[in-house]
Amino acid sequence: MNTNIVHLYLQSLLFVLISLVPLLCFCLDTDTLTSNITFRDSDTIISGRHDFKLGFFSPENNTNRYLAVFYNVSEETAVWIANSDRPLNDSSGTVTFSRNGNLVLTNGRNETLWSTNATGTYPRNTNAQIQDNGNFVLRDTSTGTIIWESFAHPSNILLPTMRSTDNIYTGHKVVYSSWKNRSNPEPGSFTSGIVALNIPQIFIWNNGRPHWRSGPWNGMILSGVPDMYSPYLAAFSLWNDTTGTFYITPHETTFLMKYTLNSTGNIEQTMWNNRQMNWDVTWVAIENECDVYGACGPFGSCNIRDSPICSCTRGFEPINREEWESGNWTSGCARRRQLPCEQNNNTSGDKDRFLRLQFNKVPDFAEHFQSRNPDVCRTRCLSNCSCIAYAHDPYIGCMSWSEPLVDFQRFNSVGIDLFLRLEASELDNHSNRMHVIIIPVLVGFFVISFVIIIAWFWNKRKDKRFGPKTIAKDIKFLEAESAIVFKDETEKVNVEELPLFSFETLSNATYQFHDNYLLGRGGFGLVYKGCLDNGKVIAVKRLSATSGQGNEEFMNEVVVISKLQHRNLVRLIGCCVEGEEKMLIYEYMPNKSLDGCLFDPNHPSQKILDWKKRFNIIESIGRGLLYLHRDSRLKIIHRDLKPSNVLLDEDWNPKISDFGMARIFGGNEDFDNTSRVVGTYGYMAPEYAMEGRFSEKSDVYSFGVLMLEIISGKKNTHYYNKELSLSLLGCAWKLWNEENGLDFVDQTIESSNFEGEIVRCIHIALLCVQEFPNDRPSIQIVLSMLSHEIINLPMPKQPIFAEKWNRSHVGTGTTQRSSQVGYPCSNGLTITVLDGR
Ligand SMILES: *[C@@H]1O[C@H](CO)[C@@H](O)[C@H](O)[C@H]1NC(C)=O
Ligand SMILES: *[C@@H]1O[C@H](CO)[C@@H](O)[C@H](O)[C@H]1NC(C)=O
Ligand SMILES: *[C@@H]1O[C@H](CO)[C@@H](O)[C@H](O)[C@H]1NC(C)=O
Ligand SMILES: *[C@@H]1O[C@H](CO)[C@@H](O)[C@H](O)[C@H]1NC(C)=O
Ligand SMILES: *[C@@H]1O[C@H](CO)[C@@H](O)[C@H](O)[C@H]1NC(C)=O
Ligand SMILES: *[C@@H]1O[C@H](CO)[C@@H](O)[C@H](O)[C@H]1NC(C)=O
Ligand SMILES: *[C@@H]1O[C@H](CO)[C@@H](O)[C@H](O)[C@H]1NC(C)=O
Ligand SMILES: *[C@@H]1O[C@H](CO)[C@@H](O)[C@H](O)[C@H]1NC(C)=O
Ligand SMILES: *[C@@H]1O[C@H](CO)[C@@H](O)[C@H](O)[C@H]1NC(C)=O
Ligand SMILES: *[C@@H]1O[C@H](CO)[C@@H](O)[C@H](O)[C@H]1NC(C)=O
Ligand SMILES: *[C@@H]1O[C@H](CO)[C@@H](O)[C@H](O)[C@H]1NC(C)=O
Ligand SMILES: *[C@@H]1O[C@H](CO)[C@@H](O)[C@H](O)[C@H]1NC(C)=O
């Protein structure tokens, strides 16, 4: 009897213990399954940083159960599913380890629904762990090697650090498959992955047929994705190993982010919003009809701004005009006239010409060879009869096409220039049509000339003194170039006022442009320190010879710029034009540029630049900018305001440099980069970076970024810089909102005397970096705010880049993930710096 009770007691104790075991395991935040536990429907394990869980999951409007990895914060979002094709219809699912170490999912009737099926047949000991990045791995416990991982068997989601791969020899790919629909995770008709042959690209396929294409990877970005040309959220890297396998992976991020191939065949990049507890879509692959693969058929170019969006390129006409006009563009266009070269297989270089198509996502099926020189691409293409078009990208090299051009589209202001081969007469043809335009222009020109001559005589009569040579200024508005000088009233400038230096003088002054006297590299040439015979110290900017501009135009514009006089602009004191050589002579600034002083921790000026000096710098730059925008006789938009373009004189007064110059020397459109949006990532306003639109308010944006940099002593980073991209704005926004603005401030200037002032400056800077130009104050208003003429400041809106980057960390009252994710907004943080050019 007694023994019986003891027995019973022991039994119930055992029962309690046994039922406690799962509880103990799973409530203690374990991230690992071991062979002595049985994992049931109600159990979960959680990753070390608590981001991901493994457990059983049911999609929306679906009662079936699936073994899955999902987010802790968003349990309805599964990033990986084991038994997507064999769901459980009840909660009887069990995960166990088989004798040979595989993980096995069985249902209540002991049928195997899924298995890792990776370990061979002999018995071994394994465990399975859910890692911080969401990878679920099976390890051999004796050796620690990973024998299976969920990242190698993806479902529809690509996570940071996950890889899409392609082996160019075996063709083995790791691809992503869409779900059938939002409540059915069975593989649907869409897949996505990388194709590495030739130039790597990312594809979405619909039942194996291309549906979307990213355009070639150029070493940094996917060249057919316009959003990637401006600062973007999360960078990718691509690399290969010796077996010929290529990998592409999104960099690790400090926020929760994923790419989902959804069931309608689109890729959505989404970020977790901690405040609203939902996913924000930050990018989609297929934004419009032009993004769909081959929307306009062979030789049809797509431009979403045109109506209709498809057009045949010059020298081509629709194959089926009726279909084309009814909006079915799939059959595309054909050449109006055969290339002579194609007709008689005879390379007739002279007869063929190239038509330049700007800003393209280049067509599919590019052949590729390395060359730094675009002329080489051209000659190679001309010498090969089957070459239809070529293009050149500084990072990719030459691309050429011998198959019909499919899936190319025109962007607004980014992309690659495509050169399409045409018979010479097709281009001439066009110029015939041009007469219709040219004749009125010529007539207009003569009328205007006549008026000017009359005016000149009139002037001469009025002013009998024979003044110095005068030229009429006519500075045009050219969109794709740098600093913009708006045309002013019919002003005449006086050429002789600007001192001309001889090449010899300058060469002697700089010791034959000796490297020891090199001060730096500006956007358009090298800058040397020099000393004139009279002892005056100067800075000489020697412009690279790529400017295709004539000497007279050059002089004309230099003279215009030399008229700008303001104590916060660097003064141009002369120039030199001799043959190919063009040089500009400036006053010398002993304290060099602001970026050295601000960002170099070992720079002696770190101590000198206290808050008073920094505030003076901010205010003075503002005044210089105001002069450019409205006080000078011209209206000038700088377009590239950044610390390296702000120079400091011996008293630490700032002077803006490089204004107006870039516009003159960026003129040659074949020069790398400059024909695109000019400026430096990180300082460019969103509307300018993304759409090429600019105004005074774009300068105000750059000024806001500059203010934040001066206050924090940290550089706003740039999109190649891994996950810290654009964090400065995000940090400022977050800390200011949390009323911790002082945490943002450079430690070397922290001073209790000016706290209010400093926080007010952050506030003003945030007003300057707002997304919409109309929200930003003009520079005049900014100055009034700085000087307290305007006392009450409006509330800023969240800056766009900060929003994308940082939305999940902002907010009041929500739990901060900061401790686990290493939030970068702290004073100790050093943001590594990569320059924008
Ligand atoms: C299961 O086995 C592991 C080692 O393989 C051990 O550390 C752990 O304590 C065991 N758990 C239980 C509940 O027995
Ligand atoms: C789930 O069902 C509800 C009600 O029928 C419907 O409103 C909702 O759109 C469904 N969700 C999905 C993803 O199908
Ligand atoms: C993860 O989920 C658990 C329970 O749902 C919760 O207590 C915990 O705070 C979550 N962790 C994070 C980092 O959100
Ligand atoms: C689950 O499916 C099995 C057949 O696969 C069936 O026998 C069983 O009744 C189903 N259970 C439920 C709860 O529907
Ligand atoms: C399930 O089947 C396996 C063999 O397939 C067997 O070893 C195991 O004992 C069975 N488990 C149950 C609970 O029936
Ligand atoms: C396991 O793999 C083998 C070959 O590697 C295959 O024949 C078998 O069907 C797989 N089993 C399961 C359950 O996937
Ligand atoms: C999803 O797909 C399944 C099977 O293909 C179908 O039965 C179901 O109705 C679909 N659900 C929706 C919401 O379309
Ligand atoms: C892969 O990269 C290596 C350099 O790491 C390079 O030498 C090799 O040619 C590449 N292989 C292929 C197939 O491109
Ligand atoms: C797929 O993504 C696109 C773009 O965000 C969206 O318009 C579409 O509704 C999504 N489809 C589904 C089924 O969620
Ligand atoms: C468009 O034209 C192609 C080729 O003639 C034809 O196969 C296709 O059905 C047409 N599509 C539509 C929507 O009319
Ligand atoms: C040119 O060469 C192609 C194949 O390369 C051939 O089919 C065609 O007949 C040739 N044309 C002439 C005119 O020789
Ligand atoms: C190639 O074309 C040139 C000029 O059109 C002609 O003089 C030459 O004879 C042609 N050569 C051949 C092989 O057809």
Side-chain angles (χ1 to χ4, degrees):
M1 183 73 185
N2 236 0
T3 53
N4 239 354
I5 291 173
V6 171
H7 199 96
L8 233 156
Y9 174 75
L10 276 180
Q11 238 179 9
S12 51
L13 188 69
L14 202 66
F15 178 79
V16 167
L17 274 181
I18 286 171
S19 48
L20 265 180
V21 165
L23 277 176
L24 282 174
C25 285
F26 305 133
C27 295
L28 281 179
D29 280 1
T30 181
D31 62 357
T32 308
L33 289 177
T34 51
S35 49
N36 51 9
I37 45 185
T38 305
F39 188 81
R40 289 179 218 288
D41 191 283
S42 54
D43 301 329
T44 56
I45 56 172
I46 188 161
S47 68
R49 282 197 315 225
H50 292 207
D51 286 337
F52 294 98
K53 278 179 173 171
L54 177 89
F56 285 86
F57 152 90
S58 291
E60 216 178 325
N61 295 352
N62 182 340
T63 53
N64 287 339
R65 302 294 282 168
Y66 298 87
L67 179 66
V69 174
F70 42 83
Y71 288 96
N72 187 33
V73 287
S74 167
E75 297 204 344
E76 59 286 353
T77 313
V79 300
W80 173 77
I81 289 195
N83 54 324
S84 56
D85 46 356
R86 300 192 64 189
L88 286 148
N89 60 0
D90 52 26
S91 56
S92 66
T94 324
V95 179
T96 49
F97 287 84
S98 71
R99 242 170 53 79
N100 57 6
N102 278 317
L103 265 185
V104 183
L105 171 67
T106 49
N107 63 13
R109 298 187 305 166
N110 204 9
E111 292 165 334
T112 301
L113 297 180
W114 169 84
S115 152
T116 51
N117 198 18
T119 58
T121 50
Y122 54 94
R124 51 167 147 185
N125 271 323
T126 52
N127 64 24
Q129 185 194 20
I130 174 93
Q131 297 185 323
D132 284 339
N133 56 1
N135 197 5
F136 183 50
V137 299
L138 185 68
R139 271 209 188 82
D140 188 323
T141 40
S142 51
T143 61
T145 50
I146 292 176
I147 49 186
W148 178 93
E149 57 179 344
S150 67
F151 273 16
H153 302 85
S155 60
N156 64 339
I157 284 181
L158 176 69
L159 292 173
T161 74
M162 212 164 161
R163 301 154 172 189
S164 176
T165 71
D166 181 20
N167 186 303
I168 56 171
Y169 302 121
T170 64
H172 178 77
K173 288 185 174 54
V174 169
V175 296
Y176 296 77
S177 304
S178 66
W179 290 11
K180 272 228 162 72
N181 57 46
R182 280 173 54 176
S183 40
N184 184 355
E186 259 181 83
S189 58
F190 294 96
T191 50
S192 171
I194 177 179
V195 173
L197 211 57
N198 281 322
I199 320 169
Q201 314 185 69
I202 292 177
F203 273 89
I204 300 173
W205 296 276
N206 183 0
N207 288 318
R209 287 188 317 274
H211 180 59
W212 173 79
R213 187 177 67 96
S214 68
W217 172 257
N218 82 356
M220 287 180 288
I221 62 168
L222 294 159
S223 63
V225 177
D227 284 346
M228 282 194 170
Y229 286 87
S230 41
Y232 66 99
L233 194 53
F236 285 87
S237 36
L238 183 133
W239 73 98
N240 73 319
D241 62 19
T242 48
T243 68
T245 304
F246 283 71
Y247 304 86
I248 188 160
T249 181
H251 288 166
E252 205 174 343
T253 51
T254 53
F255 40 84
L256 297 180
M257 194 206 61
K258 61 184 172 61
Y259 294 87
T260 312
L261 174 64
N262 76 16
S263 51
T264 46
N266 209 340
I267 297 180
E268 291 177 304
Q269 181 198 50
T270 48
M271 253 183 79
W272 181 249
N273 183 333
N274 242 352
R275 216 167 6 174
Q276 285 159 19
M277 300 299 279
N278 63 8
W279 292 97
D280 289 337
V281 178
T282 42
W283 174 78
V284 298
I286 302 177
E287 222 168 340
N288 58 55
E289 295 154 90
C290 278
D291 294 328
V292 175
Y293 187 91
C296 296
F299 295 108
S301 171
C302 204
N303 183 351
I304 197 63
R305 275 165 214 83
D306 288 349
S307 172
I309 55 173
C310 291
S311 57
C312 292
T313 45
R314 194 192 299 168
F316 288 78
E317 58 197 0
I319 287 181
N320 184 335
R321 194 167 284 279
E322 216 169 280
E323 245 180 45
W324 185 269
E325 271 156 17
S326 71
N328 182 353
W329 299 296
T330 48
S331 46
C333 313
R335 234 177 243 285
R336 247 196 290 256
R337 219 166 306 164
Q338 284 293 297
L339 291 174
C341 179
E342 279 176 337
Q343 273 169 0
N344 59 13
N345 299 344
N346 184 350
T347 359
S348 55
D350 303 315
K351 290 251 178 80
D352 294 344
R353 293 280 151 73
F354 289 96
L355 170 69
R356 176 175 168 186
L357 305 168
Q358 264 185 310
F359 304 136
N360 280 281
K361 169 177 177 176
V362 294
D364 202 3
F365 308 115
E367 289 144 39
H368 165 227
F369 62 92
Q370 284 297 342
S371 172
R372 293 180 152 275
N373 185 351
D375 294 339
V376 173
C377 316
R378 185 188 193 93
T379 4
R380 285 268 290 254
C381 189
L382 267 183
S383 68
N384 178 355
C385 266
S386 58
C387 176
I388 298 174
Y390 78 90
H392 181 262
D393 177 277
Y395 302 101
I396 299 175
C398 295
M399 289 171 272
S400 66
W401 287 266
S402 53
E403 306 205 20
L405 307 181
V406 289
D407 194 38
F408 62 115
Q409 69 165 298
R410 208 199 126 119
F411 299 133
N412 198 17
S413 56
V414 295
I416 299 177
D417 289 357
L418 182 69
F419 293 86
L420 177 68
R421 190 177 194 156
L422 286 182
E423 197 208 346
S425 66
E426 289 287 356
L427 287 172
D428 296 344
N429 243 355
H430 187 79
S431 55
N432 285 342
R433 264 177 266 138
M434 283 293 282
H435 287 171
V436 182
I437 301 166
I438 286 173
I439 289 168
V441 169
L442 282 181
V443 169
F445 176 77
F446 282 121
V447 169
I448 290 168
S449 307
F450 184 71
V451 170
I452 288 174
I453 289 168
I454 298 285
W456 186 64
F457 274 111
W458 177 256
N459 230 12
K460 239 171 98 172
R461 262 192 15 204
K462 243 174 55 171
D463 184 357
K464 279 279 161 64
R465 284 169 296 137
F466 228 81
K469 191 172 125 204
T470 57
I471 40 178
K473 247 171 8 68
D474 175 21
I475 295 166
K476 283 173 245 82
F477 178 95
L478 286 168
E479 188 182 4
E481 291 162 10
S482 193
I484 288 297
V485 183
F486 287 101
K487 188 173 161 302
D488 69 336
E489 68 282 11
T490 55
E491 192 185 349
K492 313 217 163 181
V493 254
N494 190 335
V495 172
E496 261 108 284
E497 269 178 20
L498 186 75
L500 274 173
F501 290 77
S502 72
F503 180 77
E504 203 190 346
T505 313
L506 295 176
S507 174
N508 287 339
T510 56
Y511 296 86
Q512 279 71 45
F513 301 102
H514 195 280
D515 279 353
N516 289 353
Y517 291 85
L518 191 62
L519 289 172
R521 281 155 219 277
F524 298 91
L526 304 179
V527 185
Y528 296 87
K529 179 177 178 179
C531 187
L532 295 174
D533 286 342
N534 62 10
K536 191 172 169 63
V537 186
I538 53 171
V540 180
K541 185 187 239 183
R542 193 182 189 185
L543 300 152
S544 32
T546 47
S547 157
Q549 205 172 23
N551 286 351
E552 195 168 330
E553 288 160 278
F554 169 79
M555 280 303 293
N556 188 4
E557 302 216 16
V558 165
V559 165
V560 173
I561 303 298
S562 73
K563 294 274 174 183
L564 300 175
Q565 295 212 341
H566 187 269
R567 61 187 300 264
N568 298 119
L569 301 184
V570 172
R571 205 161 67 84
L572 185 66
I573 53 184
C575 71
C576 164
V577 185
E578 271 180 35
E580 289 291 285
E581 289 288 349
K582 290 179 187 141
M583 283 181 272
L584 300 168
I585 296 95
Y586 295 100
E587 54 185 338
Y588 174 71
M589 291 287 131
N591 280 323
K592 311 236 171 72
S593 70
L594 185 60
D595 65 338
C597 306
L598 277 182
F599 306 133
D600 178 0
N602 302 319
H603 200 283
S605 64
Q606 289 263 312
K607 306 268 179 306
I608 300 165
L609 287 183
D610 56 13
W611 172 247
K612 276 192 159 162
K613 286 214 173 59
R614 289 191 198 208
F615 185 77
N616 175 53
I617 290 173
I618 291 173
E619 223 179 4
S620 306
I621 297 172
R623 279 197 220 103
L625 210 50
L626 178 66
Y627 176 79
L628 287 179
H629 284 180
R630 55 167 49 173
D631 288 355
S632 69
R633 288 162 304 170
L634 309 163
K635 177 172 165 187
I636 294 178
I637 293 172
H638 188 290
R639 293 216 285 176
D640 200 10
L641 189 64
K642 57 180 173 179
S644 59
N645 282 342
V646 173
L647 305 180
L648 297 165
D649 72 4
E650 59 277 10
D651 298 323
W652 304 95
N653 289 312
K655 292 177 187 245
I656 302 175
S657 77
D658 265 2
F659 50 88
M661 286 299 104
R663 144 92 169 86
I664 303 174
F665 308 105
N668 186 345
E669 295 213 35
D670 290 328
F671 188 68
D672 258 23
N673 295 332
T674 49
S675 63
R676 311 238 171 93
V677 168
V678 183
T680 306
Y681 289 126
Y683 300 90
M684 281 192 279
E687 77 277 5
Y688 178 42
M690 288 169 186
E691 294 157 44
R693 284 188 288 116
F694 57 83
S695 64
E696 291 143 271
K697 297 295 183 68
S698 346
D699 276 352
V700 170
Y701 182 94
S702 309
F703 180 73
V705 176
L706 194 68
M707 273 179 86
L708 292 175
E709 291 184 327
I710 293 173
I711 296 167
S712 67
K714 293 190 192 93
K715 199 175 170 84
N716 192 17
T717 49
H718 162 236
Y719 70 102
Y720 305 129
N721 191 15
K722 260 185 129 181
E723 74 250 38
L724 295 183
S725 55
L726 296 159
S727 59
L728 197 67
L729 268 56
C731 280
W733 172 256
K734 170 180 182 282
L735 294 171
W736 181 81
N737 262 294
E738 292 169 350
E739 306 195 343
N740 287 332
L742 287 176
D743 287 352
F744 179 74
V745 177
D746 194 339
Q747 274 161 331
T748 57
I749 57 166
E750 264 184 86
S751 148
S752 49
N753 297 340
F754 300 106
E755 280 178 4
E757 188 75 353
I758 297 177
V759 172
R760 188 177 158 93
C761 275
I762 299 177
H763 188 159
I764 296 171
L766 286 171
L767 288 169
C768 295
V769 296
Q770 292 176 103
E771 175 177 1
F772 297 107
N774 287 344
D775 292 340
R776 295 175 211 145
S778 71
I779 195 70
Q780 192 169 31
I781 305 266
V782 172
L783 284 169
S784 305
M785 288 170 170
L786 287 171
S787 65
H788 291 266
E789 273 166 44
I790 295 177
I791 293 169
N792 293 324
L793 305 178
M795 281 302 290
K797 293 187 188 142
Q798 189 166 17
I800 176 170
F801 295 138
E803 185 177 7
K804 282 192 176 181
W805 143 257
N806 216 358
R807 195 181 277 169
S808 56
H809 303 293
V810 179
T812 39
T814 55
T815 12
Q816 290 293 318
R817 296 160 32 80
S818 44
S819 53
Q820 307 134 28
V821 294
Y823 188 76
C825 275
S826 66
N827 254 327
L829 177 93
T830 47
I831 299 176
T832 40
V833 168
L834 256 170
D835 201 59
R837 280 240 200 217

